[in-house]
Amino acid sequence: MQHGPAVRRRKLGAELRALRTSAGLTSGEAALLVGWHQSKVSRIETGTSGVKPADVRLLLDAYGVTDSQLRELLLVLAGSDDSGGRHHWWHAYRGVLPPTYRDFISLESQAGAMRTLETTVVPGLLQTPEYARAVTRAAVEGLPEDRLDTLVEVRLARQDVLRADPPLKLSAVLDEAVLRREVGGTGVMARQLERLVEAARLPQVRLQVLPFAAGAHIGVTGPFVIFSFSSTSDLDVVVLDHLTSSLYLERKEDLQAYTEAFNALQIHALSPEDSLDFIAGTAAGA
């Protein structure tokens, strides 16, 4: 269990090592191609040292990697501000967002799919502006209004991944408590439930409700997110959110455990169709 940057270095190094091997090169031969010492290649591949995005580009060119999606993802893992000439919007908020939040957004922006269990609040990608404001204000007491405005702005900007081409595929299981907890007042909650109904009808969103009647379930230990990447499953990661930081799980056994847990939650939850009716009924006061 590690913080995001360490996981990203290790994942980046492992992927670069796999690409080098596929290119039929030893670490020494790769070093000669880019004009480095062999030890630098080894340190990068083991994740013991960071690597600049420019160095990643050199290695990818040396290995003949032309897949633009894979190149961009690896550059993001290297902390690139500019992958393929496209500036990542969240860097404009570098002075406001903590590193762990920027790290989460960078993974979210490059993932092909996201599976999430939420037990307390509506997922950030589906929040209305008013709900996002109420949640943020409650989470960070005494927050100045201008900073609150900025954090809500960031939350809404993140939602663009659902409208991208191709869009992020979002599968979310929501505990019934998410729907029952009145955040921001009756009016704010009513609009938020309407937003969930709208989102549930999107082809890229699969929304399921885990009703109280389901009893105790494997998700009682807390919410989690699983990011999956279309370029390579080796970069998949589980994110656990805490009050002051986020923790990342990258081991195959961890990924398998959380994937099986999510699959079990989907089985015990209402179907997407019944969930839509359940949310609509909750919104109507049923």
Side-chain angles (χ1 to χ4, degrees), residues 11-283:
K11 285 185 171 294
L12 176 59
E15 187 63 21
L16 290 173
R17 181 171 61 251
L19 291 172
R20 173 179 59 75
T21 301
S22 296
L25 297 170
T26 66
S27 58
E29 291 169 338
L32 284 174
L33 283 175
V34 295
W36 298 344
H37 192 279
Q38 187 270 341
S39 62
K40 180 174 180 177
V41 175
S42 296
R43 288 196 303 272
I44 290 173
E45 291 184 353
T46 57
T48 55
S49 67
V51 55
K52 297 177 181 179
D55 289 342
V56 172
R57 291 191 184 92
L58 282 177
L59 292 174
L60 295 178
D61 290 342
Y63 303 158
V65 178
T66 58
D67 184 327
S68 59
Q69 188 176 15
L70 178 58
R71 288 179 67 98
E72 183 169 357
L73 174 57
L74 295 180
L75 287 168
V76 168
L77 289 176
S80 176
D81 287 357
D82 182 7
S83 299
R86 183 164 60 86
H87 183 69
H88 293 298
W89 61 267
W90 59 89
H91 286 283
Y93 300 93
R94 184 181 296 273
V96 178
L97 305 181
T100 52
Y101 193 17
R102 296 201 307 268
D103 207 52
F104 183 91
I105 294 173
S106 70
L107 291 172
E108 182 180 72
S109 71
Q110 296 301 317
M114 175 179 173
R115 287 163 287 177
T116 181
L117 165 68
E118 289 292 349
T119 60
T120 307
V121 297
V122 171
L125 295 182
L126 303 178
Q127 292 178 6
T128 65
E130 297 80 12
Y131 186 98
R133 177 175 293 274
V135 165
T136 305
R137 179 180 282 119
V140 188
E141 292 186 1
L143 197 63
E145 282 299 313
D146 58 343
R147 182 158 183 175
L148 177 60
D149 291 342
T150 299
L151 291 176
V152 172
E153 184 178 309
V154 169
R155 182 72 53 88
L156 299 180
R158 284 174 48 203
Q159 298 177 3
D160 284 346
V161 294
L162 294 176
R163 297 182 287 270
D165 185 19
L168 174 75
K169 294 180 180 179
L170 174 64
S171 295
V173 173
L174 308 183
D175 190 277
E176 184 178 342
V178 172
L179 309 180
R180 300 294 183 188
R181 177 170 288 101
E182 190 174 287
V183 174
T186 304
V188 169
M189 200 62 204
R191 173 60 191 129
Q192 179 59 71
L193 292 175
E194 292 174 4
R195 168 66 180 132
L196 286 178
V197 171
E198 296 167 2
R201 295 193 174 108
L202 296 173
Q204 66 271 36
V205 176
R206 179 184 175 91
L207 200 57
Q208 292 180 260
V209 175
L210 195 61
F212 290 148
H217 52 78
I218 198 169
V220 295
T221 54
F224 60 85
V225 173
I226 306 173
F227 285 122
S228 299
F229 298 87
S230 54
S231 299
T232 171
S233 62
D234 289 340
L235 296 175
D236 292 357
V237 64
V238 177
V239 185
L240 306 177
D241 237 358
H242 295 266
L243 182 62
T244 58
S245 65
S246 296
L247 295 175
Y248 295 66
L249 304 176
E250 59 168 333
R251 298 186 307 167
K252 291 187 182 300
E253 50 266 46
D254 292 325
L255 286 163
Q256 180 177 349
Y258 276 89
T259 297
E260 291 175 354
F262 190 80
N263 291 341
L265 289 166
Q266 286 188 308
I267 291 172
H268 288 94
L270 300 176
S271 69
E273 296 75 21
D274 289 343
S275 294
L276 183 60
D277 292 339
F278 190 95
I279 297 170
T282 304

